[in-house]
Amino acid sequence: MPRSQRNDNFIDKTFTVMADLILKVLPTSSQSKTAFAYYRDGMSAQADGEYAEALENYQAALELEEDPNDRSYILYNIGLIHASNGDHEKALEYYHQALELNPRMPQALNNIAVIYHYLGTQAEEQQRSEEAEQLFDRAADYWKRAIQLAPNNYIEAQNWLKTTGRSSMDVYF
């Protein structure tokens, strides 16, 4: 039984019913509808912390989904799972793939920056200051791009950019 049919939560059930109704009336291919069902089940599994199941559903959705924008969100969610599991290199790969399909995805840019900042902090703690600075500079580059796309978001990143001298802009919006 698909995950979307076994939700016990009233809100999840309501969302599923509405999504199913919309899918039935949308003038889209059966393949696209199936891809969306896999994507929806992947999001549900991911929300429940069932990452292996979520990855299976996302992979199935990727095999069927043809729309580049929709594929970018599937790839982004796969990146989220790998980041949650501490596999930063794999997360970066998926975030970059998502950006190739959708360069206007500030959340992917932000998550890349967060990973580089985290790796920079680790390098700094291990007295690898030159490597840390390079990683912090990379984080800054990605945060600047994310902030340009979503100027009202990422306030902590904006403050970090200002306090570390990595930004000459006073206001992003």
Coordinates of all heavy atoms in Angstrom, one line a residue, residues 9-96:
N9 N -2.5 10.8 10.2 CA -2.7 12.2 10.6 C -3.8 12.8 9.7 O -3.8 12.6 8.5 CB -1.4 12.9 10.3 CG -1.4 14.3 10.7 OD1 -2.3 15.0 10.3 ND2 -0.4 14.8 11.3
F10 N -4.8 13.4 10.3 CA -5.9 14.0 9.6 C -5.5 15.0 8.6 O -5.9 15.0 7.4 CB -6.8 14.7 10.6 CG -7.9 15.5 9.9 CD1 -9.0 14.8 9.4 CD2 -7.9 16.9 9.8 CE1 -10.0 15.5 8.8 CE2 -8.9 17.6 9.2 CZ -10.0 16.9 8.7
I11 N -4.5 15.9 8.9 CA -4.0 16.9 7.9 C -3.3 16.2 6.8 O -3.6 16.5 5.6 CB -3.1 17.9 8.6 CG1 -3.9 18.7 9.6 CG2 -2.4 18.8 7.6 CD1 -3.1 19.6 10.5
D12 N -2.5 15.2 7.0 CA -1.9 14.4 5.9 C -2.9 13.7 5.1 O -2.8 13.7 3.8 CB -0.9 13.4 6.5 CG 0.4 14.0 7.1 OD1 0.6 15.2 6.7 OD2 1.1 13.3 7.8
K13 N -3.9 13.2 5.7 CA -5.0 12.5 4.9 C -5.7 13.5 4.0 O -6.0 13.3 2.9 CB -6.0 11.8 5.8 CG -5.5 10.5 6.4 CD -6.6 9.9 7.2 CE -6.1 8.5 7.8 NZ -7.2 7.9 8.6
T14 N -6.0 14.7 4.6 CA -6.7 15.7 3.8 C -5.9 16.2 2.7 O -6.4 16.3 1.5 CB -7.0 16.9 4.8 OG1 -7.8 16.4 5.9 CG2 -7.8 18.0 4.0
F15 N -4.6 16.4 2.9 CA -3.7 16.8 1.8 C -3.6 15.7 0.7 O -3.7 16.1 -0.5 CB -2.2 17.1 2.4 CG -1.2 17.3 1.3 CD1 -1.2 18.5 0.6 CD2 -0.4 16.2 0.9 CE1 -0.2 18.7 -0.4 CE2 0.5 16.4 -0.2 CZ 0.6 17.6 -0.8
T16 N -3.6 14.5 1.1 CA -3.5 13.4 0.2 C -4.8 13.3 -0.7 O -4.7 13.2 -1.9 CB -3.3 12.1 0.9 OG1 -2.0 12.1 1.6 CG2 -3.2 10.9 0.0
V17 N -5.9 13.5 0.0 CA -7.2 13.5 -0.8 C -7.2 14.6 -1.8 O -7.6 14.4 -2.9 CB -8.4 13.5 0.2 CG1 -9.7 13.8 -0.5 CG2 -8.5 12.2 1.0
M18 N -6.8 15.8 -1.3 CA -6.8 17.0 -2.2 C -5.8 16.8 -3.4 O -6.1 17.1 -4.5 CB -6.5 18.2 -1.4 CG -7.5 18.7 -0.4 SD -9.1 19.0 -1.2 CE -8.8 20.4 -2.2
A19 N -4.7 16.3 -3.0 CA -3.6 16.1 -4.1 C -4.1 15.0 -5.1 O -4.0 15.2 -6.3 CB -2.3 15.6 -3.5
D20 N -4.8 14.0 -4.6 CA -5.3 13.0 -5.5 C -6.4 13.6 -6.4 O -6.5 13.2 -7.6 CB -5.9 11.8 -4.7 CG -4.8 10.9 -4.1 OD1 -3.6 11.0 -4.6 OD2 -5.1 10.1 -3.2
L21 N -7.3 14.4 -5.9 CA -8.3 15.0 -6.7 C -7.7 15.9 -7.7 O -8.1 15.9 -8.9 CB -9.3 15.9 -5.8 CG -10.2 15.1 -4.9 CD1 -11.0 16.0 -4.0 CD2 -11.2 14.3 -5.8
I22 N -6.7 16.7 -7.3 CA -6.1 17.6 -8.3 C -5.4 16.8 -9.4 O -5.5 17.1 -10.6 CB -5.0 18.5 -7.6 CG1 -5.8 19.5 -6.7 CG2 -4.1 19.3 -8.6 CD1 -4.9 20.3 -5.7
L23 N -4.7 15.7 -9.0 CA -4.1 14.9 -10.0 C -5.0 14.3 -11.0 O -4.7 14.2 -12.2 CB -3.3 13.7 -9.3 CG -1.9 14.0 -8.8 CD1 -1.4 12.8 -8.1 CD2 -1.0 14.5 -9.9
K24 N -6.2 14.0 -10.5 CA -7.2 13.4 -11.5 C -7.7 14.4 -12.5 O -8.0 14.0 -13.6 CB -8.4 12.8 -10.7 CG -8.0 11.5 -9.9 CD -9.2 11.0 -9.1 CE -8.7 9.7 -8.4 NZ -9.6 9.3 -7.4
V25 N -7.8 15.6 -12.1 CA -8.4 16.6 -13.0 C -7.3 17.4 -13.8 O -7.6 18.0 -14.8 CB -9.3 17.6 -12.3 CG1 -10.5 16.9 -11.7 CG2 -8.5 18.4 -11.3
L26 N -6.1 17.3 -13.4 CA -5.0 18.0 -14.2 C -4.8 17.3 -15.5 O -4.7 16.1 -15.6 CB -3.7 17.9 -13.4 CG -3.4 19.0 -12.3 CD1 -2.1 18.7 -11.7 CD2 -3.4 20.3 -12.9
P27 N -4.7 18.2 -16.5 CA -4.4 17.6 -17.9 C -2.9 17.3 -18.0 O -2.2 18.0 -18.7 CB -4.8 18.8 -18.8 CG -4.6 20.0 -18.0 CD -4.8 19.6 -16.6
T28 N -2.5 16.2 -17.4 CA -1.1 15.8 -17.5 C -1.0 14.3 -17.7 O -2.0 13.6 -17.5 CB -0.3 16.3 -16.2 OG1 1.1 16.0 -16.4 CG2 -0.8 15.5 -15.0
S29 N 0.1 13.9 -18.1 CA 0.3 12.5 -18.5 C 0.2 11.6 -17.3 O 0.5 12.0 -16.1 CB 1.6 12.2 -19.2 OG 2.7 12.4 -18.3
S30 N -0.1 10.3 -17.5 CA -0.1 9.3 -16.5 C 1.2 9.2 -15.8 O 1.4 9.0 -14.6 CB -0.6 8.0 -17.0 OG -0.5 7.0 -16.1
Q31 N 2.3 9.3 -16.6 CA 3.6 9.2 -16.1 C 3.9 10.3 -15.2 O 4.5 10.1 -14.1 CB 4.6 9.2 -17.3 CG 6.1 9.1 -16.9 CD 7.0 9.0 -18.1 OE1 6.6 8.4 -19.1 NE2 8.2 9.6 -18.0
S32 N 3.5 11.5 -15.5 CA 3.8 12.7 -14.6 C 3.0 12.5 -13.3 O 3.5 12.8 -12.2 CB 3.4 14.0 -15.2 OG 4.2 14.3 -16.3
K33 N 1.8 12.0 -13.4 CA 1.0 11.8 -12.2 C 1.6 10.7 -11.3 O 1.6 10.8 -10.1 CB -0.5 11.4 -12.6 CG -1.2 12.5 -13.2 CD -2.6 12.0 -13.6 CE -3.4 13.2 -14.3 NZ -4.7 12.8 -14.8
T34 N 2.1 9.7 -11.9 CA 2.8 8.6 -11.1 C 4.1 9.2 -10.5 O 4.3 8.9 -9.3 CB 3.1 7.4 -12.0 OG1 1.9 6.9 -12.6 CG2 3.8 6.3 -11.2
A35 N 4.8 10.0 -11.2 CA 6.0 10.6 -10.7 C 5.7 11.4 -9.4 O 6.3 11.4 -8.4 CB 6.7 11.4 -11.7
F36 N 4.6 12.2 -9.5 CA 4.2 13.0 -8.4 C 3.8 12.2 -7.2 O 4.1 12.5 -6.1 CB 3.0 14.0 -8.8 CG 2.5 14.8 -7.6 CD1 3.3 15.9 -7.2 CD2 1.4 14.5 -7.0 CE1 2.8 16.7 -6.1 CE2 0.9 15.2 -5.9 CZ 1.7 16.3 -5.5
A37 N 3.1 11.1 -7.5 CA 2.7 10.2 -6.4 C 3.9 9.7 -5.6 O 4.0 9.6 -4.4 CB 1.8 9.1 -6.9
Y38 N 4.9 9.3 -6.4 CA 6.2 8.8 -5.8 C 6.9 10.0 -5.0 O 7.4 9.8 -3.9 CB 7.2 8.3 -6.8 CG 6.9 6.9 -7.3 CD1 6.6 6.6 -8.6 CD2 7.0 5.8 -6.3 CE1 6.4 5.3 -9.0 CE2 6.8 4.5 -6.7 CZ 6.5 4.2 -8.1 OH 6.3 3.0 -8.5
Y39 N 6.8 11.2 -5.6 CA 7.4 12.3 -4.9 C 6.7 12.6 -3.6 O 7.3 12.8 -2.6 CB 7.4 13.5 -5.8 CG 7.9 14.8 -5.2 CD1 9.3 15.0 -4.9 CD2 7.1 15.9 -5.0 CE1 9.7 16.1 -4.3 CE2 7.5 17.1 -4.4 CZ 8.9 17.2 -4.1 OH 9.3 18.3 -3.5
R40 N 5.4 12.6 -3.7 CA 4.6 12.8 -2.5 C 4.8 11.8 -1.4 O 5.0 12.1 -0.2 CB 3.1 12.9 -2.9 CG 2.2 13.2 -1.7 CD 0.7 13.1 -2.1 NE 0.5 11.7 -2.5 CZ -0.4 11.3 -3.4 NH1 -1.1 12.2 -4.1 NH2 -0.6 10.1 -3.7
D41 N 4.9 10.5 -1.8 CA 5.2 9.5 -0.8 C 6.6 9.6 -0.3 O 6.9 9.3 0.9 CB 5.1 8.1 -1.5 CG 3.6 7.7 -1.7 OD1 2.7 8.4 -1.2 OD2 3.3 6.7 -2.4
G42 N 7.6 10.1 -1.1 CA 8.9 10.4 -0.6 C 8.9 11.5 0.4 O 9.6 11.4 1.4
M43 N 8.2 12.5 0.2 CA 8.1 13.6 1.2 C 7.5 13.1 2.5 O 8.0 13.5 3.5 CB 7.3 14.8 0.6 CG 8.0 15.6 -0.5 SD 7.2 17.1 -0.9 CE 5.5 16.6 -1.3
S44 N 6.5 12.3 2.4 CA 5.9 11.8 3.6 C 6.8 10.9 4.4 O 7.0 11.0 5.6 CB 4.6 11.0 3.2 OG 4.0 10.5 4.3
A45 N 7.5 10.0 3.7 CA 8.5 9.2 4.3 C 9.7 10.0 4.9 O 10.1 9.8 6.1 CB 9.1 8.1 3.3
Q46 N 10.1 11.0 4.2 CA 11.2 11.9 4.7 C 10.7 12.6 6.0 O 11.5 12.7 6.9 CB 11.6 12.9 3.6 CG 12.7 13.8 4.0 CD 13.1 14.7 2.8 OE1 12.6 14.6 1.7 NE2 14.1 15.5 3.1
A47 N 9.5 13.1 6.0 CA 9.0 13.8 7.2 C 8.9 12.9 8.4 O 9.1 13.3 9.5 CB 7.6 14.4 6.9
D48 N 8.7 11.6 8.1 CA 8.6 10.6 9.2 C 10.0 10.0 9.6 O 10.1 9.2 10.4 CB 7.7 9.4 8.8 CG 6.3 9.8 8.8 OD1 5.9 10.9 9.3 OD2 5.5 9.0 8.2
G49 N 11.1 10.5 8.9 CA 12.4 10.1 9.2 C 12.8 8.7 8.6 O 13.8 8.1 8.9
E50 N 11.9 8.3 7.7 CA 12.1 7.0 6.9 C 12.9 7.3 5.7 O 12.4 7.3 4.6 CB 10.8 6.4 6.6 CG 10.0 6.0 7.8 CD 10.5 4.9 8.7 OE1 11.4 4.1 8.2 OE2 10.2 4.9 9.9
Y51 N 14.2 7.6 5.8 CA 15.0 8.1 4.7 C 15.2 7.1 3.6 O 15.3 7.4 2.5 CB 16.4 8.6 5.3 CG 16.2 9.8 6.1 CD1 17.1 10.0 7.2 CD2 15.2 10.7 6.0 CE1 17.0 11.2 8.0 CE2 15.1 11.9 6.8 CZ 16.0 12.1 7.8 OH 15.9 13.2 8.6
A52 N 15.4 5.8 4.0 CA 15.6 4.8 2.9 C 14.4 4.7 2.0 O 14.5 4.6 0.8 CB 15.9 3.4 3.6
E53 N 13.2 4.7 2.7 CA 12.0 4.6 1.9 C 11.8 5.9 1.1 O 11.4 5.9 -0.1 CB 10.8 4.5 2.9 CG 9.4 4.4 2.2 CD 8.3 4.3 3.1 OE1 8.5 4.0 4.3 OE2 7.1 4.5 2.7
A54 N 12.1 7.0 1.6 CA 12.0 8.3 0.9 C 12.9 8.3 -0.3 O 12.5 8.7 -1.4 CB 12.4 9.5 1.8
L55 N 14.2 7.8 -0.2 CA 15.1 7.7 -1.3 C 14.6 6.8 -2.4 O 14.7 7.1 -3.6 CB 16.5 7.3 -0.8 CG 17.3 8.3 0.0 CD1 18.6 7.7 0.5 CD2 17.6 9.5 -0.9
E56 N 14.0 5.7 -2.0 CA 13.4 4.8 -3.0 C 12.3 5.5 -3.8 O 12.3 5.4 -5.0 CB 12.8 3.6 -2.3 CG 13.8 2.6 -1.8 CD 13.2 1.4 -1.1 OE1 12.0 1.2 -1.3 OE2 13.9 0.8 -0.3
N57 N 11.5 6.2 -3.1 CA 10.4 6.9 -3.8 C 10.9 8.1 -4.7 O 10.4 8.3 -5.8 CB 9.4 7.5 -2.8 CG 8.4 6.4 -2.3 OD1 7.6 5.9 -3.0 ND2 8.5 6.1 -1.0
Y58 N 11.9 8.8 -4.2 CA 12.5 9.9 -5.0 C 13.2 9.3 -6.2 O 13.1 9.9 -7.3 CB 13.5 10.7 -4.1 CG 12.8 11.6 -3.1 CD1 13.5 11.8 -1.9 CD2 11.6 12.2 -3.3 CE1 12.9 12.6 -0.9 CE2 11.0 13.0 -2.3 CZ 11.7 13.2 -1.1 OH 11.1 14.0 -0.2
Q59 N 13.9 8.2 -6.1 CA 14.5 7.6 -7.2 C 13.5 7.2 -8.3 O 13.7 7.4 -9.5 CB 15.4 6.4 -6.8 CG 16.6 6.8 -6.1 CD 17.6 7.7 -6.8 OE1 17.6 7.8 -8.0 NE2 18.4 8.5 -6.1
A60 N 12.4 6.6 -7.8 CA 11.3 6.2 -8.7 C 10.7 7.4 -9.4 O 10.4 7.4 -10.6 CB 10.2 5.4 -8.0
A61 N 10.5 8.5 -8.7 CA 10.0 9.8 -9.2 C 11.0 10.3 -10.3 O 10.5 10.8 -11.3 CB 9.8 10.8 -8.1
L62 N 12.3 10.3 -10.0 CA 13.3 10.8 -11.0 C 13.2 10.0 -12.3 O 13.4 10.6 -13.3 CB 14.7 10.7 -10.4 CG 15.2 11.9 -9.6 CD1 16.6 11.6 -9.0 CD2 15.1 13.2 -10.3
E63 N 13.0 8.7 -12.2 CA 13.0 7.9 -13.4 C 11.8 8.3 -14.3 O 11.9 8.1 -15.5 CB 12.9 6.4 -13.0 CG 14.1 5.8 -12.4 CD 14.0 4.4 -11.9 OE1 13.0 3.7 -12.3 OE2 14.8 4.0 -11.1
L64 N 10.7 8.8 -13.7 CA 9.5 9.1 -14.5 C 9.4 10.6 -14.8 O 8.8 10.9 -15.8 CB 8.3 8.6 -13.7 CG 8.2 7.1 -13.4 CD1 7.0 6.9 -12.4 CD2 8.0 6.4 -14.7
E65 N 9.9 11.4 -13.9 CA 9.6 12.9 -14.1 C 10.5 13.4 -15.2 O 11.7 13.2 -15.2 CB 9.9 13.6 -12.8 CG 9.6 15.1 -12.8 CD 8.2 15.4 -13.2 OE1 7.3 15.0 -12.4 OE2 7.9 16.0 -14.3
E66 N 9.9 14.2 -16.1 CA 10.6 14.8 -17.2 C 10.8 16.3 -17.0 O 11.7 16.9 -17.6 CB 9.8 14.5 -18.5 CG 9.8 13.0 -18.8 CD 8.9 12.7 -20.1 OE1 8.2 13.6 -20.5 OE2 9.0 11.6 -20.5
D67 N 9.9 17.0 -16.3 CA 10.0 18.4 -16.1 C 11.2 18.8 -15.3 O 11.4 18.3 -14.2 CB 8.7 18.9 -15.4 CG 8.7 20.4 -15.2 OD1 8.5 21.1 -16.2 OD2 9.1 20.8 -14.1
P68 N 12.1 19.6 -15.9 CA 13.3 20.0 -15.2 C 13.1 20.7 -13.8 O 13.8 20.4 -12.9 CB 14.0 21.0 -16.1 CG 13.4 20.7 -17.4 CD 12.0 20.2 -17.2
N69 N 12.1 21.5 -13.7 CA 11.8 22.2 -12.4 C 11.4 21.2 -11.4 O 11.9 21.2 -10.2 CB 10.8 23.2 -12.6 CG 10.7 24.2 -11.4 OD1 11.7 24.8 -11.1 ND2 9.5 24.3 -10.9
D70 N 10.5 20.2 -11.7 CA 10.1 19.2 -10.8 C 11.2 18.3 -10.4 O 11.4 17.9 -9.2 CB 8.9 18.4 -11.4 CG 7.6 19.2 -11.5 OD1 7.5 20.3 -10.9 OD2 6.7 18.8 -12.2
R71 N 12.1 18.0 -11.4 CA 13.2 17.1 -11.1 C 14.2 17.8 -10.1 O 14.8 17.2 -9.2 CB 14.0 16.8 -12.4 CG 13.3 15.8 -13.3 CD 14.1 15.5 -14.6 NE 15.3 14.9 -14.3 CZ 15.5 13.6 -14.1 NH1 14.5 12.8 -14.1 NH2 16.7 13.1 -13.9
S72 N 14.3 19.2 -10.2 CA 15.2 19.9 -9.3 C 14.8 19.8 -7.9 O 15.6 19.7 -7.0 CB 15.3 21.4 -9.7 OG 14.1 22.1 -9.4
Y73 N 13.4 19.8 -7.6 CA 13.0 19.6 -6.3 C 13.2 18.2 -5.7 O 13.4 18.0 -4.5 CB 11.5 20.1 -6.1 CG 11.4 21.6 -6.1 CD1 11.2 22.3 -7.3 CD2 11.6 22.3 -5.0 CE1 11.1 23.6 -7.3 CE2 11.6 23.7 -5.0 CZ 11.3 24.3 -6.2 OH 11.3 25.7 -6.2
I74 N 13.1 17.2 -6.6 CA 13.3 15.9 -6.2 C 14.8 15.7 -5.8 O 15.2 15.2 -4.8 CB 13.0 14.9 -7.3 CG1 11.5 14.9 -7.6 CG2 13.4 13.4 -7.0 CD1 11.1 14.2 -8.9
L75 N 15.7 16.3 -6.7 CA 17.1 16.2 -6.4 C 17.5 17.0 -5.1 O 18.3 16.5 -4.3 CB 17.9 16.8 -7.6 CG 17.9 15.9 -8.8 CD1 18.3 16.7 -10.0 CD2 18.7 14.7 -8.7
Y76 N 16.8 18.1 -4.9 CA 17.0 18.9 -3.7 C 16.7 18.1 -2.5 O 17.4 18.0 -1.5 CB 16.2 20.2 -3.8 CG 16.2 20.9 -2.5 CD1 17.3 21.7 -2.1 CD2 15.1 20.9 -1.6 CE1 17.3 22.4 -0.9 CE2 15.0 21.6 -0.4 CZ 16.1 22.3 0.0 OH 16.1 23.0 1.1
N77 N 15.5 17.4 -2.5 CA 15.1 16.6 -1.3 C 16.1 15.4 -1.1 O 16.3 15.1 0.1 CB 13.7 16.1 -1.5 CG 12.7 17.2 -1.2 OD1 13.0 18.2 -0.6 ND2 11.5 17.1 -1.7
I78 N 16.6 14.8 -2.1 CA 17.6 13.8 -2.0 C 18.8 14.4 -1.3 O 19.4 13.8 -0.4 CB 17.9 13.1 -3.3 CG1 16.7 12.4 -3.9 CG2 19.1 12.2 -3.2 CD1 16.9 11.8 -5.3
G79 N 19.2 15.6 -1.7 CA 20.3 16.2 -1.0 C 20.1 16.5 0.5 O 21.0 16.3 1.3
L80 N 18.8 16.9 0.8 CA 18.5 17.1 2.2 C 18.7 15.8 3.0 O 19.2 15.8 4.1 CB 17.0 17.5 2.3 CG 16.6 18.9 2.0 CD1 15.1 19.1 2.1 CD2 17.3 19.9 2.9
I81 N 18.3 14.7 2.5 CA 18.4 13.4 3.2 C 19.9 13.1 3.4 O 20.3 12.7 4.5 CB 17.7 12.2 2.4 CG1 16.2 12.4 2.5 CG2 18.2 10.9 3.0 CD1 15.4 11.5 1.6
H82 N 20.7 13.3 2.4 CA 22.2 13.0 2.5 C 22.8 13.9 3.5 O 23.7 13.5 4.3 CB 22.9 13.0 1.2 CG 22.5 11.8 0.3 ND1 22.8 10.5 0.7 CD2 21.9 11.7 -0.9 CE1 22.4 9.7 -0.3 NE2 21.8 10.4 -1.2
A83 N 22.4 15.2 3.5 CA 22.9 16.1 4.5 C 22.5 15.7 5.9 O 23.3 15.8 6.8 CB 22.4 17.6 4.2
S84 N 21.3 15.3 6.1 CA 20.8 14.9 7.4 C 21.6 13.7 7.9 O 21.8 13.5 9.1 CB 19.3 14.5 7.3 OG 18.5 15.6 7.1
N85 N 22.0 12.8 7.0 CA 22.8 11.6 7.3 C 24.3 11.9 7.5 O 25.1 11.0 7.7 CB 22.5 10.5 6.3 CG 21.2 9.9 6.4 OD1 20.5 9.9 7.5 ND2 20.7 9.4 5.3
G86 N 24.7 13.2 7.3 CA 26.1 13.6 7.4 C 26.9 13.3 6.2 O 28.1 13.5 6.3
D87 N 26.3 12.9 5.1 CA 27.1 12.7 3.9 C 27.1 13.9 3.1 O 26.4 14.1 2.1 CB 26.5 11.5 3.1 CG 27.4 11.0 2.0 OD1 28.3 11.7 1.6 OD2 27.1 9.9 1.4
H88 N 28.0 14.9 3.5 CA 28.0 16.2 2.9 C 28.4 16.2 1.4 O 27.9 17.0 0.6 CB 28.9 17.1 3.7 CG 28.5 17.3 5.1 ND1 29.2 16.8 6.2 CD2 27.3 17.8 5.6 CE1 28.5 17.1 7.3 NE2 27.4 17.7 7.0
E89 N 29.3 15.3 1.0 CA 29.8 15.3 -0.4 C 28.6 14.9 -1.3 O 28.4 15.5 -2.3 CB 31.0 14.4 -0.5 CG 32.2 14.8 0.1 CD 32.7 16.2 -0.4 OE1 32.6 16.5 -1.6 OE2 33.0 17.1 0.5
K90 N 27.9 13.9 -0.9 CA 26.7 13.4 -1.7 C 25.6 14.5 -1.7 O 25.0 14.7 -2.7 CB 26.2 12.1 -1.1 CG 25.7 11.2 -2.2 CD 25.5 9.8 -1.7 CE 25.5 8.9 -2.8 NZ 25.4 7.5 -2.4
A91 N 25.4 15.1 -0.6 CA 24.4 16.2 -0.5 C 24.8 17.3 -1.5 O 23.9 17.8 -2.2 CB 24.3 16.8 0.9
L92 N 26.1 17.7 -1.5 CA 26.5 18.8 -2.4 C 26.3 18.4 -3.8 O 25.9 19.2 -4.6 CB 28.0 19.1 -2.2 CG 28.4 19.8 -0.9 CD1 29.9 19.9 -0.6 CD2 27.8 21.2 -0.9
E93 N 26.6 17.1 -4.2 CA 26.3 16.6 -5.5 C 24.9 16.9 -5.9 O 24.6 17.4 -7.0 CB 26.7 15.2 -5.7 CG 28.1 14.8 -5.6 CD 28.3 13.3 -5.7 OE1 27.5 12.6 -6.3 OE2 29.3 12.8 -5.1
Y94 N 23.9 16.5 -5.1 CA 22.5 16.6 -5.4 C 22.1 18.0 -5.4 O 21.3 18.4 -6.3 CB 21.7 15.7 -4.5 CG 21.7 14.3 -4.8 CD1 22.5 13.4 -4.2 CD2 20.9 13.8 -5.9 CE1 22.6 12.0 -4.6 CE2 21.0 12.5 -6.3 CZ 21.8 11.6 -5.6 OH 21.8 10.3 -6.0
Y95 N 22.6 18.9 -4.5 CA 22.2 20.3 -4.6 C 22.7 20.9 -5.8 O 22.0 21.7 -6.5 CB 22.8 21.0 -3.4 CG 22.2 20.7 -2.0 CD1 23.0 20.7 -0.9 CD2 20.9 20.3 -1.9 CE1 22.4 20.3 0.4 CE2 20.3 20.0 -0.6 CZ 21.1 20.0 0.5 OH 20.6 19.7 1.7
H96 N 23.9 20.6 -6.3 CA 24.4 21.1 -7.5 C 23.6 20.6 -8.7 O 23.4 21.4 -9.7 CB 25.9 20.8 -7.7 CG 26.8 21.7 -6.9 ND1 27.0 23.0 -7.1 CD2 27.5 21.4 -5.8 CE1 27.8 23.5 -6.2 NE2 28.1 22.5 -5.3

